[in-house]
């Protein structure tokens, strides 16, 4: 079994979360299968993973929570505190009066008293309703940066989220948020990999003390729903062949930020 202590940790500059393991496991899968998610998380815990990423929209909060509880019963974890759990607020819930109830629902799903990190999933606001994807353009409404972030801050003050942050925010979105924030976002989680390096966002966040976490470090599907520009990169393939490694191994050698 790999030791969890072998995974480097990142100290977040805002909030009161424990140090965040620099490598995490994402649980987005469409369609999601609860048993598959639960078993995958348990297997990850067995080999040393301690950072897990979910979201209201993924439908994987409940099996993730079940796996953490089972791992604690088995002794894989000494307590829930050994796991770093991130979840996210979906676009249909991005309304000041719905932020706290949405987090409470996520906590019920997770069977936890708090999450280590709570993120606004996208800087997109649509009419209140069921958690659906994709959202409809005609349902979009103006994003209330001040009102929504005040509600996120309240989640932190209540101890329900040890740290709060955002996901998929550009520097323009962050400018608007920081203008009204009394508690700064600890993290901005964005897609980042060799073909989408997010240099502007990384430089901005470094100055502001916001940690950048990367999702899809091995590349995600193209917007057309097919292909993977990282795993199918001829440049990375050439490097991998020269080193006798896989493309995924070559990519991992370059990881310096938290990835999920």
């Amino acid at each position: 079994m790999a030791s969890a202590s072998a995974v480097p940790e990142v100290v977040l500059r805002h909030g009161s979360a424990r140090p965040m393991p620099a490598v995490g496991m994402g649980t987005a899968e469409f369609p999601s299968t609860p048993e598959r998610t639960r078993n995958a998380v348990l297997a990850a815990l067995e080999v040393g993973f301690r950072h897990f990423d979910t979201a209201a929209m993924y439908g994987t909060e409940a099996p993730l929570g079940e796996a953490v509880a089972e791992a604690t019963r088995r002794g894989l974890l000494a307590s829930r505190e050994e796991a770093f759990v991130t979840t996210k607020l979906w676009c249909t819930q991005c309304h000041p009066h719905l932020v706290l109830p949405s987090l409470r629902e996520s906590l019920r799903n997770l069977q936890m008293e708090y999450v280590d990190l709570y993120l606004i999933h996208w800087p997109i606001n649509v009419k209140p309703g069921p958690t659906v994807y994709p959202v409809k353009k005609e349902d979009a409404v103006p994003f209330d940066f001040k009102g929504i972030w005040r509600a996120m801050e309240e989640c932190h003050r209540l101890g329900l989220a040890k740290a709060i942050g955002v996901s998929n925010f550009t520097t323009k979105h962050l400018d608007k948020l920081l203008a009204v924030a009394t508690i700064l976002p600890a993290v901005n989680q964005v897609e980042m990999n060799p073909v989408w390096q997010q240099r502007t966002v990384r430089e901005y966040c470094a100055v502001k003390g916001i940690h950048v976490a990367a999702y899809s470090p091995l590349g995600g599907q193209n917007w057309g729903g097919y292909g993977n520009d990282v795993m199918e990169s001829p440049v990375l393939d050439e490097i991998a062949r020269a080193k006798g490694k896989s493309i995924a191994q070559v990519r991992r050698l370059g990881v310096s930020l938290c990835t999920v």
Side-chain angles (χ1 to χ4, degrees):
M1 180 187 300
S3 171
S5 62
V7 178
E9 295 182 328
V10 176
V11 176
L12 301 178
R13 293 179 61 179
H14 311 295
S16 57
R18 54 154 289 192
M20 180 171 65
V23 178
M25 175 183 173
T27 61
E29 182 183 31
F30 304 100
S32 62
T33 306
E35 184 177 1
R36 177 181 168 89
T37 299
R38 180 178 177 279
N39 291 341
V41 172
L42 279 170
L45 284 162
E46 288 175 352
V47 297
F49 277 82
R50 293 296 181 266
H51 180 181
F52 297 92
D53 180 276
T54 184
M57 190 268 289
Y58 298 164
T60 56
E61 291 174 329
L64 169 57
E66 291 170 5
V68 171
E70 175 66 19
T72 304
R73 288 192 293 270
R74 290 189 193 179
L76 293 172
L77 296 175
S79 67
R80 178 263 178 266
E81 284 70 27
E82 285 193 8
F84 189 104
V85 177
T86 299
T87 193
K88 309 181 195 75
L89 175 74
W90 187 238
C91 307
T92 53
Q93 307 301 305
C94 274
H95 302 270
H97 69 289
L98 295 179
V99 174
L100 182 56
S102 183
L103 176 54
R104 291 192 188 279
E105 181 178 359
S106 289
L107 291 174
R108 285 193 293 271
N109 291 336
L110 289 161
Q111 302 178 60
M112 295 178 181
E113 295 182 355
Y114 70 90
V115 291
D116 298 274
L117 180 61
Y118 193 41
L119 305 178
I120 297 174
H121 206 149
W122 286 91
I124 298 171
N125 196 0
V126 299
K127 297 175 183 177
T131 301
V132 295
Y133 179 84
V135 297
K136 297 179 180 179
K137 183 177 180 180
E138 57 268 26
D139 289 339
V141 296
F143 196 93
D144 180 2
F145 283 90
K146 183 175 181 179
I148 295 168
W149 193 249
R150 286 286 184 270
M152 293 286 288
E153 291 176 334
E154 182 64 12
C155 292
H156 173 65
R157 292 191 182 97
L158 291 172
L160 302 179
K162 297 298 184 181
I164 52 177
V166 297
S167 181
N168 301 300
F169 271 48
T170 66
T171 57
K172 290 183 179 180
H173 296 130
L174 289 168
D175 277 339
K176 293 179 180 178
L177 181 62
L178 296 185
V180 298
T182 58
I183 300 173
L184 297 184
V187 169
N188 182 20
Q189 186 187 111
V190 296
E191 180 174 350
M192 186 162 55
N193 48 58
V195 298
W196 194 355
Q197 298 182 20
Q198 299 278 13
R199 288 192 177 94
T200 300
V201 168
R202 286 162 49 199
E203 291 170 0
Y204 178 102
C205 288
V207 172
K208 303 296 184 181
I210 301 169
H211 186 74
V212 176
Y215 68 81
S216 296
L218 298 180
Q221 283 189 335
N222 295 326
W223 286 111
Y226 58 89
N228 183 310
D229 288 340
V230 175
M231 299 303 289
E232 297 170 6
S233 166
V235 174
L236 291 177
D237 181 62
E238 182 179 350
I239 295 171
R241 290 177 182 275
K243 300 295 183 180
K245 302 293 184 180
S246 69
I247 291 178
Q249 288 173 317
V250 169
R251 168 62 191 115
R252 296 300 293 174
L253 290 174
V255 171
S256 60
L257 301 170
C258 175
T259 62
V260 292

